[in-house]
Amino acid sequence: MTEDVLVTISGKHLIGGESEDVELLVPGTYRRTDDGIHEIVYEEPTEEESFGTKNTLRIDDSSMRIEKRGVCTAELCFLNSAERTLCNYRTPYGTFLIGISTSDFRVTVTENCITAELIYAMDVGDAFLKDCEMKVEVRAREGMPDEI
């Protein structure tokens, strides 16, 4: 895959019986590390341009990790197991301890595309927060327009 990629993240958050759909389409960069991890870096847009968040995705066959640096800072870990992971999610309003339990995790890798599909639940302390679905698709940008 080329270094310049297009990152599509789509998902669904189920909160109190209501569904909230999320979609993000941004340019990014890709590299494969020496130990075989797919590393994708992209900027998460915000309404105020001076407060963007840089995200680094690290995907392998058994996990996906999201490192967020900016207005919000966190290292989220989605494992291909029933194991619950914990992370500190720092925001301008305080720090929250978030638990993530991944119930389904699949990765597909082709010559020009990496797809990770997840089903997971989140909690803050012992209080259930969300049931979530997420699909991350990383495609080579060759032949795509520069502006998205």
Side-chain angles (χ1 to χ4, degrees), residues 27-61:
T29 58
Y30 166 83
R31 77 179 186 103
R32 187 166 177 139
T33 65
D34 291 339
D35 53 355
I37 294 174
H38 303 282
E39 187 174 87
I40 301 98
V41 178
Y42 65 92
E43 292 281 331
E44 187 175 320
T46 61
E47 291 180 20
E48 296 182 37
E49 290 183 23
S50 61
F51 295 110
T53 299
K54 179 181 176 182
N55 292 297
T56 302
L57 292 176
R58 290 182 179 88
I59 301 171
D60 62 27
D61 291 338

Side-chain angles (χ1 to χ4, degrees), residues 7-147:
V7 181
T8 305
I9 300 175
S10 57
K12 184 180 295 190
H13 296 170
L14 302 172
I15 306 169
E18 300 214 8
S19 177
E20 176 186 337
D21 293 330
V22 197
E23 185 160 293
L24 175 66
L25 176 66
V26 292
T29 58
Y30 166 83
R31 77 179 186 103
R32 187 166 177 139
T33 65
D34 291 339
D35 53 355
I37 294 174
H38 303 282
E39 187 174 87
I40 301 98
V41 178
Y42 65 92
E43 292 281 331
E44 187 175 320
T46 61
E47 291 180 20
E48 296 182 37
E49 290 183 23
S50 61
F51 295 110
T53 299
K54 179 181 176 182
N55 292 297
T56 302
L57 292 176
R58 290 182 179 88
I59 301 171
D60 62 27
D61 291 338
S62 62
S63 68
M64 181 172 84
R65 298 173 190 276
I66 304 173
E67 180 181 296
K68 299 174 93 46
R69 297 288 179 253
V71 174
C72 294
T73 302
E75 291 183 25
L76 307 169
C77 183
F78 304 87
L79 299 177
N80 187 11
S81 69
E83 183 180 343
R84 180 172 169 255
T85 60
L86 296 172
C87 77
N88 287 314
Y89 200 97
R90 293 174 193 85
T91 74
Y93 308 104
T95 300
F96 305 94
L97 184 63
I98 294 178
I100 300 172
S101 301
T102 307
S103 59
D104 191 19
F105 177 86
R106 288 173 272 151
V107 175
T108 307
V109 179
T110 64
E111 186 176 334
N112 292 310
C113 184
I114 299 165
T115 304
E117 296 177 272
L118 307 111
I119 297 175
Y120 60 98
M122 295 176 72
D123 63 78
V124 176
D126 290 330
F128 179 72
L129 184 63
K130 298 179 183 179
D131 249 343
C132 307
E133 298 175 12
M134 182 182 351
K135 180 177 181 180
V136 177
E137 194 171 76
V138 181
R139 294 188 171 276
R141 282 187 55 189
E142 292 175 357
M144 294 186 180
D146 286 337
E147 295 197 20

